Amino acid sequence: MKTKHYQFSKQFIAAIKYFTLFFCILSSLYLIYNIYHIENFHNKYLTKVQNIYSYVRRFGSYHNNALEEYKLENHYKTNDVSLIVNTAGNVKILSEGIDKLRSELNSITNNNIWTIAVFENPANYAHFDPIRPEYLNQFDKYGENSVMYRIVEREGLINTYQSFYGCNLKLTESYTENGSNIQIRTLYYPIYNNRHLDALLAIDIKSKCFSETLQKYNNSHFTMINMNKKGNFYKIEELLPCSELHPINIGINLLSIVKIVFFPALLLTIIYGYFKTCLIKKRYHIQRDQMTNFYRRDYYEKKWLKQHDFNLLIIDIDHFKKVNDIHGHEIGDAVIRHVSKRINNCIRSEDIAVRWGGEEFIITFKDMTNEQLYIKAEKICVSIASSPILELDITVSIGGTTATNTHFNDVYKVADKALYFSKSNGRNQYTIV
């Protein structure tokens, strides 16, 4: 029981070591992989924002060159674009351009464009895609240099035509829109012509667009990047282009890495343990005799042929042929198994036991004098003869020798002669030379 308990404890400790090793390796590799992808996602994320800005800026040219038509005060609708005319007069026809702008922006933002509105200055008319009460309420208040202009002033977009490289548009921080309760970010783009604020393009983008972009990236690259502001082991913190507050945070949480890596590491440990066990069993079958669990002759003889110092015993079961002839080979095999167990109980774990032939065994010992070899041979001989095996009186004859700087074949011949002497002298005895 103690041996089994010790063996189990040893295997359990080994499994913990392997699990720890696999866990550390996988965690490190996965962490490096995520860090690489943080940089990659960050660049793609900024590229996406810049692409949105690029399409929005193009609309300014479209607006300035759009055809005009005379419209009476009314509500006009083309596809999903509504035109609200408060004062009869010439109006720019922007429906087609707004449709195209939405199509381009939706392809970038995964259909997360909430509203596109174009407010003219003065506020004689405005375009909405789609029309919603939240914008209509504000539109009713717009006039020359009124609320619309104050938005431009508040967002720092006055006279942006004077800037060659600055931000001539503005992305607001995330907020909840009154009435709809939708979390959005608004992109404002003032359209100037001859230094006059002609119109204000306002695009509401659902805030989830930004988190969905990250989620889509994580799903396609098997990463664990997040936008949490706290708790990240590694992060990038940076303002979005043309945004002044609340920088984006892109990072990695170590706990997330641990959760992801735990089960793969456990699975690898199980697989490794399984194949290691199979390899050990296969190697055991190659090395060991199945009946006695001693080494096989064809496996160990080549090792002895390279060795030069020996403390060697040859053990042969007495009258074994009679056992087979009288009691059958099954009893004979059982006798061999019992004899090998008794031999094994008399030797140390570092000693080498080999089944040399049918009923013949060779044992070699490390660091043993001739006198100690004599005592060991006596112990084995007495152990086997001490009690019957399968109700049969079984004995062995032993021949042995100690030698240094000698070839195995020469040592074997000396020990074999000693064995022959033990047999011819009456059996059940041992001879050491």
Side-chain angles (χ1 to χ4, degrees), residues 223-400:
T223 49
M224 294 297 295
I225 306 170
N226 65 67
M227 288 185 171
N228 300 332
K229 294 182 179 180
K230 295 181 179 179
N232 284 329
F233 168 77
Y234 177 89
K235 68 178 181 180
I236 294 177
E237 186 176 8
E238 184 178 344
L239 285 169
L240 284 176
C242 301
S243 181
E244 297 176 354
L245 298 172
H246 307 298
I248 60 167
N249 288 271
I250 307 171
I252 308 167
N253 184 280
L254 275 182
L255 184 59
S256 300
I257 299 292
V258 168
K259 289 179 179 178
I260 288 293
V261 168
F262 181 85
F263 286 105
L266 183 62
L267 182 62
L268 274 177
T269 303
I270 294 171
I271 293 173
Y272 177 80
Y274 172 77
F275 281 106
K276 185 180 179 183
T277 302
C278 290
L279 183 63
I280 290 172
K281 287 182 178 178
K282 184 177 181 180
R283 187 172 62 183
Y284 188 88
H285 289 155
I286 293 172
Q287 296 177 355
R288 301 281 181 165
D289 172 64
Q290 301 304 303
M291 186 181 297
T292 62
N293 289 330
F294 286 176
Y295 284 108
R296 292 160 54 100
R297 175 177 178 172
D298 56 359
Y299 170 76
Y300 215 89
E301 184 177 10
K302 56 188 176 184
K303 294 181 179 292
W304 280 335
L305 291 172
K306 298 176 183 179
Q307 191 173 321
H308 301 288
D309 299 332
F310 295 92
N311 304 294
L312 182 145
L313 295 178
I314 301 177
I315 305 170
D316 188 83
I317 302 175
D318 295 330
H319 302 298
F320 185 73
K321 187 174 183 303
K322 288 184 179 180
V323 173
N324 276 336
D325 292 343
I326 297 172
H327 302 283
H329 288 281
E330 288 187 8
I331 297 296
D333 291 344
V335 167
I336 290 174
R337 281 193 289 268
H338 280 80
V339 168
S340 64
K341 286 180 181 178
R342 294 190 184 185
I343 292 173
N344 198 52
N345 290 335
C346 295
I347 63 176
R348 303 164 300 184
S349 59
E350 65 265 27
D351 299 330
I352 304 299
V354 176
R355 186 181 181 188
W356 195 250
E359 73 277 13
E360 188 173 82
F361 313 95
I362 294 181
I363 318 293
T364 58
F365 305 87
K366 288 184 178 180
D367 304 322
M368 189 170 285
T369 64
N370 197 270
E371 291 77 11
Q372 290 171 327
L373 190 65
Y374 184 91
I375 295 170
K376 184 65 69 174
E378 180 183 25
K379 184 178 180 181
I380 293 172
C381 201
V382 171
S383 174
I384 294 171
S386 61
S387 60
I389 295 175
L390 302 176
E391 299 181 353
L392 299 174
D393 293 326
I394 302 297
T395 62
V396 296
S397 297
I398 303 174

